Amino acid sequence: MAVKALVLAAGAGTRMKSNAPKVLHDLAGLPLLQWVLDALAPIALDETVVVVGHGAEEVEKILPEGVTSRLQDQQLGTGDAARAGVVGMEIIGNAILVLPGDMPLLTGSTIRRLLDAHQATNAAATVLTAEIQPSDFGRILRNEAGELVRIVEVRDADPDELAVQEVNGGVYVFSGDLFGEALDDLTTDNAQGEYYLTDVIGWLAGAGHKVGAVVTDPVELTGVNSHQQLAGAARLVRRRINEGWMAEGVWMQDPDRVYIGARVRLSPGVRIFPDVHLEGATEVGSDSVLGPDVYALDTRIGTGSRVWYSVMRGSTVGDGAEVGPYASLRPGSVLEARSKLGTFVETKNTRLGEGAKVPHLAYMGDADIGARANVGAGSITCNYDGVSKYTTKIGERAFIGSDTMLVAPVTIGDDAFTGAGSVITQDVSPGALAVERNEQKEIRGYAARVEARKKKKQQDT
Ligand code: UD1
Ligand code: CA
C-alpha cells in the first residue's frame, strides 16, 4: 500500500491580516508550509500534493521538486480542499495522509506513528487527536463502546459535545477505497456552510467502517492562524531547536534569548551569550564564542573564533578570528584565520588575510588585505567615485597609518607603510613609506594674539 500525502494550504489566513499567504509566513527562517514538508521528508511517500488557493503562485514557488500542487478555486472548506487535492490522484488501494499546511510543530515521528497505527488496525480512517480543553478544535465524539463515531466543529457543537476534551488534530490517514465516495457525499449543511473534511469520519463510521485514533502531545498540534499564534509557535520551535543544540554540546547562557534558524549548523563546544540571531545557512565551528548581540546571516564561522556585538551577512570568519565589538561584515567579507576586525569597522567584498588586523574605526570595501597587514584607525578605502567601484590591494605585512584614505584603484606593496593622514592615490612600492601630507607650520605666540583680540572686543562694546 502506497502512501500519498495531501497538504491543505489554500486558506486565506484572514486573521493574519497580511497580503502574504498564511503558509508563507516565516517561522525560524522557514515558511510555515516548509515545516510541514520537512516533517514529511523522512516518510516514504508515493506522492505529495499541496492544495493551493490564496496566493497560489507564491506558494507554488517554494514547493520542492517532486511535490506538486492542485488548485482549489474557492475556499469552500477542508472537505472541498481534499476533493480538489485528489483530482487525478490514484487513491484506490492506497492510503491518503491529509494534513494542514499551518501546523509547524507536527513531527515526522508522529506522522509515522499515525501511519503505522492505520496500517496495523486496517481502519478506514485514523485520526490524530489530543487532549486539550478549552480549545477551538473540533471535538472527537465516541459511542458507549468508545468507538469514534463523529467529529463536531465548535460552532456546531452542543454544550455536552463542547465539554469533550479529546480534539481533532486535523491530521488523518484515509484508506483510499472509500475516500472519494465519502468526499462526494459531503454537504454544506452546517454552521459555517462549508464542506467539512471531518464529516468524512462520520460518514465512514456511520457506514459501519472502523475509524481509529492516535493520541499525541497537544504541542504538536499548535496551529497558526494569527500573529499571536505565530509568535507562540516560534517560542515553542525556538525551545525545540535550542534544546536540540544543547544536547549536541552547545552552551547557552540563556536559551530563551538565542534565535537559531532551522537550517543553521553548530558544532559541539560553541558558546552562545544572549541576543544572538543566527539565520539562513549560517554555520559555526567548535569552540567559537558568539555574543552578546550578534546577527549572522548566511555566514560561516570557523573554530575558536570570538564574535560579539556585531552583524555579519554572507561572510566567512576563519578559525581563531576576532570580530567586534561593533563590526559590520557585509556580503563577500572573508576574514582568514586569526585575523581581527575590531570596533566600528565595516567591510564589504573584502578579504582580510591570515593574522591581518583592522582594529578600529575603518571602512574596507572591495579590498584585498594581505596576511599580517595592519590597518590603522580611521582608514578608509575610497572605493566608489560615484559611478564605479574600484579595488584596493594591501600587501602582506603592510602598515597603513591612521586615517589613510586609500583612493582606489590602488596597490600598497608588501611591507610598505603609509603615513598617518595620507590620501594615497598612487601605488606604493614594496617596503616603501608613502606620505602625502602638507608640511606642518608653526605660528608662535598665537594664544597671546587671540587674548588681545578678545580684550579689544570687550572694550569696544
Ligand atoms: C480544522 C478541522 C477541526 C480541527 C482543526 C485542527 C474541519 C472542518 N475542521 O478546523 O476539526 O480541530 O482543523 O487544526 O476540517 N483549507 C483549505 N481550503 C479550504 C479551507 C481550509 O485549503 O477551503 C486549509 C487551510 O489553509 C488550513 C487547513 O485547511 O491549512 C485547515 O483549515 P482551517 O480553516 O484552519 O480549519 P480549522 O477551522 O482550523
Ligand atoms: Ca486551523
Side-chain angles (χ1 to χ4, degrees), residues 346-362:
E346 176 180 336
T347 57
K348 184 218 69 177
N349 187 30
T350 283
R351 182 188 74 98
L352 190 58
E354 203 175 318
K357 291 185 172 137
V358 188
H360 347 260
L361 296 160

Side-chain angles (χ1 to χ4, degrees), residues 303-315:
T303 62
S305 301
R306 178 75 185 98
V307 183
W308 51 333
Y309 299 100
S310 292
V311 174
M312 301 171 289
R313 292 167 286 169
S315 295

Side-chain angles (χ1 to χ4, degrees), residues 327-342:
S328 172
L329 279 70
R330 288 165 53 206
S333 298
V334 176
L335 309 192
E336 293 190 349
R338 292 170 296 287
S339 61
K340 176 178 174 165
L341 205 72

Side-chain angles (χ1 to χ4, degrees), residues 8-11 72 75-78 81 100-103 137-138 151 153 168-170 172 196-198 225:
L8 308 186
Q72 183 194 18
Q75 280 59 65
L76 304 176
T78 49
D102 61 354
M103 208 171 266
F137 284 76
I151 297 172
E153 292 305 292
N168 169 29
Y172 326 78
Y196 287 170
L197 179 58
T198 44
N225 300 299

Side-chain angles (χ1 to χ4, degrees), residues 71-371:
L71 187 69
Q72 183 194 18
D73 277 327
Q74 272 182 294
Q75 280 59 65
L76 304 176
T78 49
D80 181 68
R83 202 153 50 192
V86 298
V87 168
M89 183 184 270
E90 223 174 273
I91 58 174
I92 305 294
N94 293 320
I96 315 301
L97 167 69
V98 183
L99 64 172
D102 61 354
M103 208 171 266
L105 281 112
L106 185 67
T107 61
S109 60
T110 295
I111 298 170
R112 180 79 269 157
R113 214 151 53 77
L114 182 71
L115 286 166
D116 288 349
H118 183 75
Q119 278 168 15
T121 56
N122 239 329
T126 308
V127 185
L128 189 64
T129 71
E131 301 272 332
I132 315 175
Q133 186 77 355
S135 85
D136 53 5
F137 284 76
R139 303 296 201 264
I140 299 287
L141 304 182
R142 295 176 181 274
N143 61 19
E144 294 85 65
E147 295 158 340
L148 208 165
V149 292
R150 194 159 65 84
I151 297 172
V152 64
E153 292 305 292
V154 165
R155 285 170 62 180
D156 301 292
D158 65 32
D160 283 349
E161 292 167 340
L162 273 183
V164 171
Q165 311 244 334
E166 190 184 10
V167 302
N168 169 29
V171 181
Y172 326 78
V173 195
F174 296 98
S175 295
D177 299 1
L178 298 160
F179 192 44
E181 197 184 327
L183 286 175
D184 285 341
D185 265 8
L186 292 179
T187 69
T188 56
D189 184 15
N190 53 56
Q192 300 181 70
E194 290 182 358
Y195 295 100
Y196 287 170
L197 179 58
T198 44
D199 285 349
V200 169
I201 299 296
W203 188 97
L204 291 167
H209 300 284
K210 183 177 159 49
V211 176
V214 165
V215 183
T216 189
D217 177 352
V219 167
E220 293 214 16
L221 303 183
T222 304
V224 175
N225 300 299
S226 64
H227 285 287
Q228 291 92 319
Q229 289 176 354
L230 181 60
R235 209 170 298 123
L236 294 166
V237 161
R238 187 154 70 238
R239 192 165 303 154
R240 199 186 267 180
I241 290 175
N242 290 355
E243 282 176 0
W245 286 122
M246 286 189 283
E248 295 284 319
V250 171
W251 175 87
M252 295 182 192
Q253 187 181 46
D254 182 356
D256 289 337
R257 291 170 63 190
V258 172
Y259 308 81
I260 302 176
R263 297 289 189 253
V264 168
R265 290 288 157 259
L266 306 179
S267 300
V270 167
R271 295 170 61 80
I272 305 181
F273 286 93
D275 300 327
V276 169
H277 299 249
L278 306 178
E279 299 188 355
T282 292
E283 285 177 30
V284 186
S286 55
D287 304 320
S288 283
V289 183
L290 308 180
D293 284 340
V294 167
Y295 175 84
L297 171 67
D298 298 331
T299 289
R300 280 181 46 200
I301 300 166
T303 62
S305 301
R306 178 75 185 98
V307 183
W308 51 333
Y309 299 100
S310 292
V311 174
M312 301 171 289
R313 292 167 286 169
S315 295
T316 304
V317 174
D319 297 346
E322 279 181 57
V323 177
Y326 310 109
S328 172
L329 279 70
R330 288 165 53 206
S333 298
V334 176
L335 309 192
E336 293 190 349
R338 292 170 296 287
S339 61
K340 176 178 174 165
L341 205 72
T343 310
F344 301 117
V345 177
E346 176 180 336
T347 57
K348 184 218 69 177
N349 187 30
T350 283
R351 182 188 74 98
L352 190 58
E354 203 175 318
K357 291 185 172 137
V358 188
H360 347 260
L361 296 160
Y363 171 60
M364 295 285 119
D366 304 309
D368 185 80
I369 303 169

